[in-house]
Amino acid sequence: MSKCGQCIIKSFNAFHTLTIDELDTISDHKTSLTIKKGENLMTEGHAINGLYCIKQGKCKLTKLNTNGKEQIIKFVKGGDILGHRSILSEEPVGLTVTALEEMKVCFIPKGDIMQTINQNTAFSLQLMKNISNQLNHANDSISQMAQKPVKDRLAETLLKLEEIFGLDKDGNIDIILTREEIANTIGTATESAIRLLSNFKKEKIISLQGKHIKLLDRSTLRNISEGY
Amino acid sequence: MSKCGQCIIKSFNAFHTLTIDELDTISDHKTSLTIKKGENLMTEGHAINGLYCIKQGKCKLTKLNTNGKEQIIKFVKGGDILGHRSILSEEPVGLTVTALEEMKVCFIPKGDIMQTINQNTAFSLQLMKNISNQLNHANDSISQMAQKPVKDRLAETLLKLEEIFGLDKDGNIDIILTREEIANTIGTATESAIRLLSNFKKEKIISLQGKHIKLLDRSTLRNISEGY
DNA sequence: AAAAAGAAATGACATTTATCATTTGTTAGA
DNA sequence: TCTAACAAATGATAAATGTCATTTCTTTTT
């Protein structure tokens, strides 16, 4: 199995603060796994005893509502860490993580993480920063969801998706989502999402080819997302 | 000025993990202040160089939307800590904190906090737990806001307000909010909030006397909040 | 205590969004 | 490659929510 010390991914997250020794220990204890498209890496309400470092692949973080609807809270890609919130707060996982394409991840047992937190302040601080940033973004989302109409939220989401996933070779947003998933991100009915996407297309703000979405007029999208 | 070692508030938050020495240092550097009703303890976008420990009083945490509307993200009362997210992530404050009644707070400089984080792992862990829990709740809110109708969100909010602030001597929820603030909490127009409150009253689920709200039928409220 | 300002309540109406039904298009398994 | 299953699109309509105008009530100021 490959060594954490050599893994480029660590440079994107809190693991870059670890010493060579700490990385070695984690290397010895980690397990690498492959998650196929559609499979869950973790499930809301279940306990986990470690965290996941995503080497490759994209996933969605969702929450099941009391009415049975799925709400997509966040999209995550390679370089990110998942599960630290749960092991830090000592609570079950709050979100279901589902692979949107094949993923390569490393599982690192809770014991090693807690030991590292105890002996490496820089690592702790990085984790805190990470969660703090997430909290900040979450608060933004609350405000958006509560106060912006669906159209504005769709514009916002399209911009954010491009920011997270970048572009494929044809200039489309480099993520394949169903219309239902888009609807579940902005919190609306699938039909409403479809209609608004069609409108954006008609107004030449975006182009649609099947599930491929290309942003054509970002400044208009930005205006819409801010209510103009 | 009073000593932190004697302060009962510390037992409600991360400060209970501090040693006597650490508490003494903080005692020496802290400043106590009084915030009058309506005044801001911190303002969205501004930098702070320390954190606040709330000894007494209630406040709202809000975010100003691009459309100029205020979104209430959270209510906080004595015992809580504010501002740690900002000093940990080294970013400006993300939320405006406004006193809903006179508040007594202690300000503790960033330097002392960072030093304590570096030398006291238990304190770090408590802070992480705290932020992790907040993140978890924030994710819940996103889902609620995105998918539940206004009526359900109002029911939810009333239950949550009672949980946070408890009851006054007459059995009312022990917090005075304007209808506008209630509307800004659930993310709706003031008129809509008023109408729905009136409906709840008509259906004898709550009683209203001016700004005093009493919950009469909690199980119905719980059902409504879950979409039944 | 009266006047002014602000908050709450309510009606009428417009707009947004959801739901249901149906058609068309696409994907993947037999 | 065909066809069953699923996804997307669209229309018609209902329901939810927002906006504006007005009245009533409450609080604050003079």
Side-chain angles (χ1 to χ4, degrees), chain A residues 138-182:
Chain A
N139 286 337
D140 273 337
S141 288
I142 294 173
S143 173
Q144 308 271 344
M145 289 295 187
Q147 304 216 326
K148 285 188 181 174
V150 176
K151 186 182 173 187
D152 304 24
R153 280 161 21 210
L154 176 59
E156 169 93 22
T157 295
L158 292 173
L159 287 165
K160 209 180 281 173
L161 284 172
E162 191 182 72
E163 199 181 303
I164 297 173
F165 293 115
L167 303 176
D168 68 11
K169 55 187 177 350
D170 302 317
N172 301 306
I173 301 176
D174 195 14
I175 180 74
I176 298 295
L177 297 172
T178 64
R179 298 293 191 259
E180 191 182 3
E181 285 172 323
I182 294 175

Side-chain angles (χ1 to χ4, degrees), chain A residues 75-91:
Chain A
F75 292 96
V76 166
K77 62 167 194 277
D80 251 309
I81 295 176
L82 290 175
H84 49 316
R85 194 213 58 83
S86 175
I87 64 171
L88 285 173
S89 67
E90 292 176 304
E91 278 178 11

